[in-house]
Amino acid sequence: MNTQGAKAARKAPPTTTTDLKPGAVRDLADALNTLLADMLGLYLKTKNFHWHISGPHFRDYHLLLDEQGDELFATTDAIAERVRKIGGTTLRSIGHISRLQRIQDNDAEDVAALDMLTELGGDNKQLVAWMRETHDLCDEYGDVASASLLENWIDEAERRIWFLFEATRASG
């Protein structure tokens, strides 16, 4: 390849070896990017509550939310890399995240600990529903790799829901 050919190749849009059709790549990348924005939104909300939780169970709740935040953050790179593997582009900024994110922020000055845990449980339930929808789209297009990843993330989210639920139950 000559110098001009190399320069042209560097300027060309990236391509991948995926056998997914362009429409499938577009739809899957859109769904995964929206899911990525939701994961980042839930990660930040979880960390917000982790930083601001207080009360008699502070240590337990603080550690629980730290663990859950780490788990959420760990999924973000895998989602973004999956989008790139199939030939899509992914999120580029905080603004891009905020335009796609469906998880509602909580900027309240004071939130009771049990209310934080309950809210995060509901957010994780909603996230599971969105992941199932994305899984259905992956099945429609035959994207078994993304579907497989989603199955693991659904299981992780269901574990987070379980822990949050149990932490909010009245002792007895």
Side-chain angles (χ1 to χ4, degrees), residues 24-156:
V25 169
R26 182 197 61 241
D27 293 349
L28 290 166
D30 287 349
L32 289 168
N33 276 322
T34 302
L35 191 60
L36 175 57
D38 290 329
M39 286 282 189
L40 287 163
L42 185 54
Y43 162 75
L44 191 56
K45 185 181 212 176
T46 301
K47 292 305 283 189
N48 169 30
F49 288 167
H50 161 80
W51 295 323
H52 294 100
I53 202 153
S54 61
H57 301 287
F58 166 78
R59 186 174 192 286
D60 291 335
Y61 296 163
H62 185 78
L63 294 173
L64 173 66
L65 297 181
D66 197 35
E67 176 186 294
Q68 291 194 357
D70 289 348
E71 185 174 270
L72 287 161
F73 189 72
T75 64
T76 61
D77 194 50
I79 296 170
E81 287 182 356
R82 185 67 197 148
V83 171
R84 297 294 292 138
K85 285 177 194 174
I86 65 171
T89 59
T90 195
L91 304 178
R92 299 185 184 275
S93 67
I94 298 289
H96 195 178
I97 293 165
S98 70
R99 288 188 298 277
L100 296 179
Q101 168 186 333
R102 298 169 289 187
I103 294 289
Q104 296 298 304
D105 292 333
N106 184 329
D107 297 328
E109 184 86 14
D110 187 33
V111 181
L114 292 178
D115 291 341
M116 289 178 180
L117 301 180
T118 301
E119 186 171 334
L120 290 174
D123 289 340
N124 276 281
K125 279 184 185 178
Q126 183 58 65
L127 187 65
V128 166
W130 291 327
M131 285 191 284
R132 290 184 200 285
E133 289 174 5
T134 304
H135 189 284
D136 289 344
L137 185 66
C138 293
D139 286 346
E140 181 181 327
Y141 286 121
D143 182 2
V144 295
S146 295
S148 177
L149 291 168
L150 283 158
E151 289 164 7
N152 290 320
W153 298 329
I154 289 168
D155 184 57
E156 290 173 0

Side-chain angles (χ1 to χ4, degrees), residues 6-18:
K7 285 182 181 178
R10 283 194 308 269
K11 290 183 180 181
T15 59
T16 65
T17 58
T18 186

